[in-house]
Amino acid sequence: MNWYPWLNHAYRQLVEFHQQGRGHHAILLHAHEGTGADALLYGLSRWLMCQNKQGLKSCGKCHGCHLMLAETHSDWHVLAPEKGKNIIGVDAVRQLSEKLYEHSQQGGAKIVWLPSAESLTDAASNALLKTLEEPPQNTYFLLRCQHPTNLLATLRSRCFYYFLPAPENSIGLYWLKNQLPSVSSLDAQTALRLSQGAPLAAEKLLQTEKWHQRNSLCQAITQALHNCDTLPLLPLLNRDDVQQSLHWLISLLSDAVKYRQQVQHYCVNQDQQALVHLLASAQSAERLVSTVDDWIRCRHQLLSVVGINRELLLTEQLLNWEKQLGLTQ
C-alpha cells in the first residue's frame, strides 16, 4: 500500500501514544475520502504486528512483517460488507468476536480493521460495542469513518477519536503535480478544492473520464444560461453518480455568490471563472442564494428519500431554476 508524506505526523503521533503506554485499544479515525486514511491505519497495523520494532518503524524482516506485507496475516481481520452489499450485519460481527477471543495464531497482537464504520447496522454496532467494552488481551480495533455523527454515540464513546485533516494546500498541490505533471496548475487547484483538499480524491477526479464529465456539465450550463433553457441539463444530471454532478453544480452556484460578494479568491472552480461570472450576472444575489438552497434541498431528497423518482425531481428543480432565471432583475 502506498505511503503519503502528509501522513507522517499522524503516524508518529499514534505510534508514540503506544510507546508511552497511552495507546487506546480502539481508534476511530475520522477522515475525508482521499486523504490516505487506509494507508495510515495499515502502517499502524504493521507497527503493532511487528515482532522486532525499530523505534517508530516496523522492521520489515520479521515473520509478522512478511505476513502483513503479503496481506495474509491470520491475526489481521478486515471487517467489511460482503460482496454486493453495503452494510455489515450482526452475524459478521459475532463471528469475528468469537475468533478474537481465541489465542493469537502468530503469538502477537490481533487487529480488526473496519474501513467504513458507517456500514455497521445498529445491531452490529451494539454487538461490536460489547467486544470493545471487554476487549481480548492485546487486541486492537481500527475504525475509519467519514461521518462520526452517523455512528451510535455509545460506539463513539468507547473509541479514541482522531481526526486526520487534509494536508495543507501547498503540500497537496505539490504532490498532485508530481503525480500528474501534464495537468495545469489551475486544473489541479480546482480539483483539490472540489475534493475538500484531499489529494487522492483530486487525483481520481482529474482522470480523463471524470474531468471530461465535469467539463461537459460546465459547457452545458453555459449554453443553458445563454438560451434560458435548463432542461438540456437533465441527461447530464440524471445519472447514478448524480451526487457528484450536483456537487459540481452547487459549487459553481456557490462560487457565483462569492463573486457577488467580491471574494473571488475563495472560489472553488478556479478554471471556470467565465462561467462563474455568467452565473453571478444571471441572477440577483438574493436569488442566487435561494437557488443554492433549492439545489442543496434537491440533493438531500435524492440521497435520503427511498424510492424517489430522480428524473421527476430533477426536472422539477431545473424548471424552477429556469423560472428564477427568467425573473432576473
Side-chain angles (χ1 to χ4, degrees):
M1 188 174 288
N2 293 332
W3 187 255
Y4 309 103
W6 60 85
L7 300 177
N8 290 337
H9 173 73
Y11 173 80
R12 185 182 302 110
Q13 196 171 41
L14 290 172
V15 168
E16 285 179 350
F17 286 154
H18 285 279
Q19 289 178 325
Q20 297 163 5
R22 297 188 295 124
H24 201 282
H25 72 279
I27 294 176
L28 178 62
L29 183 67
H30 176 196
H32 295 303
E33 189 68 36
T35 53
D38 288 349
L40 174 62
L41 292 180
Y42 176 72
L44 179 59
S45 296
R46 282 191 56 189
W47 185 84
L48 290 168
M49 288 296 199
C50 181
Q51 298 161 347
N52 187 27
K53 298 176 178 62
Q54 307 294 309
L56 293 173
K57 297 182 179 180
S58 50
C59 70
K61 299 177 181 179
C62 69
H63 186 54
C65 283
H66 285 161
L67 291 174
M68 285 298 295
L69 287 169
E71 297 186 7
T72 57
H73 203 299
S74 54
D75 293 319
W76 186 56
H77 307 280
V78 179
L79 185 59
E82 295 178 7
K83 189 174 181 180
K85 297 183 179 180
N86 55 11
I87 60 170
I88 301 171
V90 65
D91 290 340
V93 174
R94 286 172 178 167
Q95 290 171 10
L96 177 59
S97 295
E98 290 177 5
K99 291 181 181 179
L100 295 177
Y101 283 101
E102 298 172 358
H103 289 294
S104 167
Q105 295 189 37
Q106 300 300 327
K110 289 172 285 185
I111 295 177
V112 175
W113 179 24
L114 211 171
S116 177
E118 291 97 334
S119 299
L120 292 165
T121 63
D122 286 352
S125 295
N126 284 319
L128 181 61
L129 181 62
K130 293 178 182 178
T131 309
L132 290 176
E133 289 173 337
E134 298 180 9
Q137 187 176 7
N138 205 18
T139 300
Y140 301 94
F141 300 83
L142 307 178
L143 292 73
R144 180 171 73 88
C145 71
Q146 294 187 55
H147 307 286
T149 53
N150 291 343
L151 304 179
L152 292 182
T154 47
L155 183 65
R156 297 199 307 268
S157 68
R158 294 298 185 275
C159 299
F160 172 72
Y161 172 85
Y162 191 93
F163 177 66
L164 177 66
E168 292 182 10
N169 183 72
S170 58
I171 295 174
L173 199 57
Y174 178 78
W175 180 86
L176 202 54
K177 287 293 292 177
N178 280 338
Q179 298 300 118
L180 303 170
S182 62
V183 170
S184 71
S185 296
L186 211 55
D187 284 357
Q189 181 69 264
T190 298
L192 206 54
R193 292 189 180 190
L194 281 169
S195 306
Q196 297 178 294
L200 302 182
E203 182 189 23
K204 186 176 179 180
L205 174 58
L206 284 166
Q207 300 305 315
T208 305
E209 184 179 349
K210 281 293 179 187
W211 201 243
H212 176 71
Q213 182 183 337
R214 173 181 171 271
N215 287 338
S216 296
L217 179 63
C218 291
Q219 291 169 10
I221 294 171
T222 301
Q223 196 65 37
L225 292 173
H226 284 309
N227 298 337
C228 200
D229 180 10
T230 59
L231 280 182
L233 295 175
L234 183 60
L236 299 177
L237 297 176
N238 188 26
R239 301 162 49 104
D240 289 339
D241 59 354
V242 62
Q243 182 179 0
Q244 184 170 62
S245 298
L246 289 183
H247 170 59
W248 295 336
L249 174 58
I250 291 168
S251 73
L252 286 163
L253 289 166
S254 298
D255 281 352
V257 175
K258 297 170 191 173
Y259 195 96
R260 278 279 190 174
Q261 297 172 338
Q262 298 183 343
V263 286
Q264 298 94 317
H265 175 73
Y266 295 100
C267 285
V268 170
N269 300 275
Q270 293 292 315
D271 65 331
Q272 295 289 337
Q273 288 300 298
L275 175 54
V276 170
H277 178 262
L278 188 60
L279 284 165
S281 304
Q283 291 180 268
S284 66
E286 182 181 355
R287 286 181 182 142
L288 265 174
V289 172
S290 176
T291 299
V292 171
D293 289 341
D294 287 345
W295 279 110
I296 290 175
R297 193 178 303 111
C298 175
R299 180 176 62 182
H300 177 72
Q301 286 180 285
L302 286 171
L303 295 177
S304 60
V305 180
V306 178
I308 194 168
N309 188 320
R310 184 175 68 197
E311 183 175 3
L312 185 61
L313 180 63
L314 288 171
T315 300
E316 181 183 6
Q317 179 54 37
L318 284 169
L319 290 174
N320 182 48
W321 186 24
E322 184 177 306
K323 182 180 178 182
Q324 290 179 321
L325 289 168
L327 292 174
T328 306
Q329 293 177 350

